[in-house]
Amino acid sequence: MSFDNALGAIAEDNDEARWAFGTGFHDPLAGIDASVPDGVDGADLAAYCLMLGDDALVMSHRLQEWCTHAPELEEEVALANIALDLLGQARLLLARAGAAMGTGQDETALTETVLTEDALAFFRDAPEFRNVRLVEEPNGDFAHAIVRLLLFSTWRLALLDRLTSSADPVLAAVAAKGVKEVAYHRDHAALWTIRLGDGTEESHRRTRRALDVLWPATGELFGVHEVERRAAAAGFGVDPADVRAEFDAVVGEVLAAAALPCPAPVPAEVAGRGGAHSAALGALLADMQGLARAHPGATW
Amino acid sequence: MDAADTDARTGADARLADFERTIERDQRIEPRDWMPDRYRSTMVRQIAQHAHSEIIGMQPEGAWITRAPSLRRKAILLAKVQDEAGHGLYLYSAAETLGADRPELTARLISGRQKYSSIFNYPTPSFADVGVIGWLVDGAAICNQVPLCRSSYGPYARAMIRICKEESFHQRQGYELLMTLMRGTEAQRRMVQESVDRWWWPSLMMFGPPDAESTHTAQSMAWKIKRHTNDELRQRFVDMTVPQAAALGVTLPDPDLRWNAERGHHDFGEVDWSELKRVISGDGPCNAERIEVRRAAHEDGAWVREAAAAHAAKRARREGEAA
């Protein structure tokens, strides 16, 4: 590149593709029929997409909170990147939920409309969120962030991998995009788990504590909500109980390499999927939704 | 004087002459080239301060990521703040080509021995600040930085090309956000004007003190690590921004701002230089908070960096034993 032509180099209009959002957004749904397929119940599809979308949205929020607090600059970039991928997945899934739901009342409660990603993200209260509680737990230290990411991304990758053959072509396309992203997230978390578990005495102790704190929340990853059961039966969803063996094998292998003990399996339960959340979610939503709710009907 | 001394002197003179000739011909100085110690230390200072500014600059806007009022704005803002971390990384790497060490530069930032751009010591109480920072602060940064793509120090010049490209995106995105808000509700329009009122003068201060008081300018111009004076760049920024403000429908808070047909430039009021001095010397609204966040992240992360190093050493030892 010629340095005398630096201004020209900057003005070159060749960098649109670099932007994942805003400009040059690659639409994973391009060319896909977005109508609800025959044999798929719209309300169940919407409820199921909300579950997967809320997991991604809330997990992304917790990772966004790391911004400017990461232990090194390389991790600032990596955690922000993972947060962006999950935010992207949340947007597609919430938009799919809104479309499959048919019409509903918008935030001004005056208009019947197809709910947008923003209506669903910013104008639902905590009991209407369908994420698992693992993602809403407040942040702890970096070991907590890494162990949560390992547990979450191992589980989510197993789900998304199966959803690539969903009977809903939109969900299948979203899953196909997500598989590539979450495979990287899982890899990143696994490498850090091994470094921290098999690093210093302090890092081992902190990682073990994070595992103790987070492990009880894994029971919920395999509990089967009524909507999930019907979604699996109708061929557009996955029965979460089916991914437990893969989760146990992958997590077990990583923990062994990290010189960490693998805790005993936690009995499956349903909580967040049915709207039962900890107080932490309310606080998270107050932060996330406050400005949007102060200006109902505004466009940003 | 013996013969060896004379040879050494002649060698040093020849190297200096080579260095000056490279600058004279507008070619680049590269990491392995000989350079005067003062050039090296000035470049380390310039690049490190720029790197620190990128990293501290993540804070004022980063504060809005979790609170952004739409998911699209959240994604754009998160991507932008991530870019700033990336810029910090390239710039620290460019400083390392001069023999500087990243942990040492971070220690100098935290202890206050090295500065960062004083603009990041202002608070961001409104979401419109995200747009105004993109428009005015990134706009001013671009005016300052585009000439640095021709800096005489090669690694810095090359880093600046990529950084300026990304900054120009950020500026366009900031302006697009403001356009959207100005087309929105009355409350949104008021948010924008209130934010412009707070950021306009600090943005003008980003070009540094007036030329008559600028201490580093002459040597830096001779070394071609600075290409235009502070006042020239400030004027360029004002001339560029006035029509953008008009298109947006906001008022720049300067009663003396008007077109001067004779000069072919806008005249503008006197910047409050005592405020710039105060903020640079550590007394701005957020100086202590910005450094504290950086210090806490660095110190809280020490055990993580130690663990990574310990693990790498264990692996190397195990691989050595296996071989």
Side-chain angles (χ1 to χ4, degrees):
Chain A
M1 184 180 295
S2 158
F3 286 94
D4 296 323
N5 192 24
L7 269 165
I10 290 159
E12 264 173 49
D13 218 5
N14 61 358
D15 29 20
E16 296 289 326
R18 208 192 65 76
W19 280 94
F21 298 94
T23 58
F25 179 64
H26 169 69
D27 181 3
L29 305 183
I32 289 175
D33 178 3
S35 56
V36 175
D38 289 342
V40 170
D41 180 82
D44 274 353
L45 176 61
Y48 188 67
C49 288
L50 271 186
M51 291 172 174
L52 296 172
D54 287 346
D55 288 339
L57 182 63
V58 176
M59 182 70 182
S60 177
H61 187 100
R62 288 300 184 211
L63 291 164
Q64 292 157 30
E65 289 175 334
W66 270 95
C67 186
T68 74
H69 304 290
E72 55 188 20
L73 292 180
E74 287 80 355
E75 274 314 292
E76 285 290 354
V77 176
L79 294 177
N81 200 46
I82 295 169
L84 262 175
D85 285 344
L86 291 173
L87 180 56
Q89 293 176 19
R91 294 179 64 187
L92 292 165
L93 288 163
L94 293 190
R96 183 57 176 159
M101 226 172 250
T103 57
Q105 282 194 334
D106 76 356
E107 67 255 28
T108 59
L110 296 172
T111 319
E112 285 285 326
T113 178
V114 172
L115 293 180
T116 61
E117 58 180 45
D118 286 340
L120 290 167
F122 295 99
F123 292 88
R124 277 181 302 151
D125 293 329
E128 299 165 84
F129 272 73
R130 291 291 178 266
N131 58 281
V132 292
R133 287 176 305 183
L134 173 69
V135 296
E136 72 200 35
E137 289 278 323
N139 284 342
D141 62 8
F142 184 69
H144 182 277
I146 288 299
V147 171
R148 168 155 56 190
L149 186 61
L150 176 70
L151 302 176
F152 176 74
S153 55
T154 301
W155 171 65
R156 190 171 180 85
L157 181 58
L159 289 177
L160 293 181
D161 198 28
R162 286 158 180 78
L163 285 171
T164 55
S165 52
S166 169
D168 177 36
V170 174
L171 194 47
V174 173
K177 175 173 185 281
V179 159
K180 292 180 212 140
E181 296 167 345
V182 180
Y184 160 76
H185 307 170
R186 188 182 78 172
D187 201 38
H188 188 73
L191 289 172
W192 267 114
T193 303
I194 294 168
R195 278 185 207 115
L196 298 179
D198 185 30
T200 62
E201 215 170 287
E202 180 180 9
S203 68
H204 181 84
R205 180 177 53 75
R206 285 172 179 266
T207 311
R208 199 164 168 168
R209 192 173 63 201
L211 198 56
D212 289 344
V213 168
L214 291 162
W215 191 258
T218 57
E220 213 186 316
L221 306 181
F222 310 106
V224 187
H225 185 274
E226 193 58 17
V227 164
E228 291 169 308
R229 195 185 53 71
R230 290 199 298 267
F236 67 86
V238 176
D239 182 337
D242 290 349
V243 303
R244 188 158 205 165
E246 178 177 333
F247 176 90
D248 287 343
V250 172
V251 170
E253 193 182 324
V254 173
L255 294 180
L260 289 162
C262 191
V266 181
E269 62 166 331
V270 173
R273 290 286 192 245
H277 295 285
S278 64
L281 183 65
L284 180 153
L285 294 180
D287 180 56
M288 184 174 93
Q289 298 175 331
L291 178 61
R293 288 186 175 210
H295 299 265
T299 301
W300 301 92
Chain B
M1 188 183 291
D2 62 24
D5 273 352
T6 312
D7 282 355
R9 252 254 301 276
T10 315
D13 287 349
R15 285 183 316 209
L16 182 61
D18 266 354
F19 170 83
E20 284 173 349
R21 205 163 33 244
T22 304
I23 303 249
E24 182 60 31
R25 290 177 182 165
D26 249 344
Q27 290 168 341
R28 306 298 138 200
I29 305 297
E30 295 298 337
R32 278 191 282 274
D33 294 346
W34 182 88
M35 64 191 87
D37 289 344
R38 276 192 51 230
Y39 177 88
R40 185 183 296 275
S41 62
T42 303
M43 280 318 303
V44 169
R45 195 192 67 221
Q46 186 182 9
I47 298 172
Q49 290 187 357
H50 188 175
H52 299 330
S53 301
E54 296 283 356
I55 299 306
I56 296 291
M58 295 167 69
Q59 291 182 35
E61 289 181 279
W64 280 101
I65 293 171
T66 61
R67 297 179 290 159
S70 79
L71 297 183
R72 175 170 171 267
R73 291 294 172 199
K74 189 188 286 282
I76 290 172
L77 182 56
L78 182 51
K80 174 184 176 179
V81 174
Q82 184 195 26
D83 279 348
E84 287 166 355
H87 296 173
L89 272 175
Y90 325 141
L91 289 165
Y92 284 123
S93 302
E96 283 173 333
T97 65
L98 290 157
D101 162 66
R102 209 209 299 178
E104 171 57 22
L105 297 177
T106 302
R108 287 189 200 171
L109 166 66
I110 290 170
S111 67
R113 280 175 292 156
Q114 279 179 344
K115 306 283 188 202
Y116 54 89
S117 178
S118 61
I119 193 77
F120 300 120
N121 291 316
Y122 290 88
T124 44
S126 150
F127 185 68
D129 293 341
V130 169
V132 172
I133 288 177
W135 175 39
L136 295 181
V137 174
D138 293 339
I142 291 166
C143 285
N144 269 331
Q145 291 172 0
V146 164
L148 297 177
C149 297
R150 294 170 59 232
S151 166
S152 61
Y153 188 58
Y156 189 44
R158 290 188 285 274
M160 287 315 301
I161 288 180
R162 180 156 172 195
I163 289 172
C164 285
K165 279 189 180 198
E166 294 184 350
E167 294 290 352
S168 71
F169 263 113
H170 299 165
Q171 197 205 13
R172 291 208 311 249
Q173 287 176 325
Y175 195 73
E176 189 264 332
L177 168 58
L178 297 179
M179 276 291 193
T180 305
L181 298 186
M182 291 304 286
R183 282 196 299 260
T185 65
E186 186 51 39
Q188 288 175 307
R189 278 190 290 278
R190 274 200 309 273
M191 279 171 84
V192 175
Q193 183 63 57
E194 185 276 333
S195 176
V196 169
D197 289 346
R198 280 184 288 110
W199 289 96
W200 173 247
W201 291 105
S203 301
L204 294 187
M205 294 177 201
M206 286 177 69
F207 299 93
D211 293 347
E213 290 168 36
S214 179
T215 45
H216 302 301
T217 298
Q219 178 65 81
S220 295
M221 301 273 277
W223 277 337
K224 296 188 181 171
I225 57 179
K226 183 165 178 168
R227 295 278 184 162
H228 305 280
T229 71
N230 296 351
D231 287 333
E232 283 166 8
L233 291 167
R234 191 166 11 249
Q235 182 71 59
R236 184 180 295 185
F237 173 69
V238 171
D239 290 340
M240 180 181 99
T241 306
V242 167
Q244 294 172 351
L248 206 50
V250 297
T251 308
L252 298 173
D254 178 358
D256 298 325
L257 185 64
R258 62 180 58 85
W259 176 249
N260 180 330
E262 211 171 295
R263 288 205 306 127
H265 290 292
H266 292 86
D267 291 337
F268 54 98
E270 186 65 18
V271 176
D272 177 1
W273 298 116
S274 65
E275 177 177 325
L276 177 63
K277 279 194 189 122
R278 213 164 48 241
V279 179
I280 287 181
S281 68
D283 240 353
C286 301
N287 296 53
E289 177 190 338
R290 300 288 184 241
I291 290 294
E292 176 53 25
V293 167
R294 187 70 196 98
R295 188 195 62 74
H298 187 68
E299 290 180 4
D300 293 349
W303 70 269
V304 177
R305 297 188 298 274
E306 283 158 19
H311 178 72
K314 280 186 194 177
R315 280 184 70 127
R317 200 167 53 240
R318 284 197 289 256
E319 277 159 22
E321 280 162 10

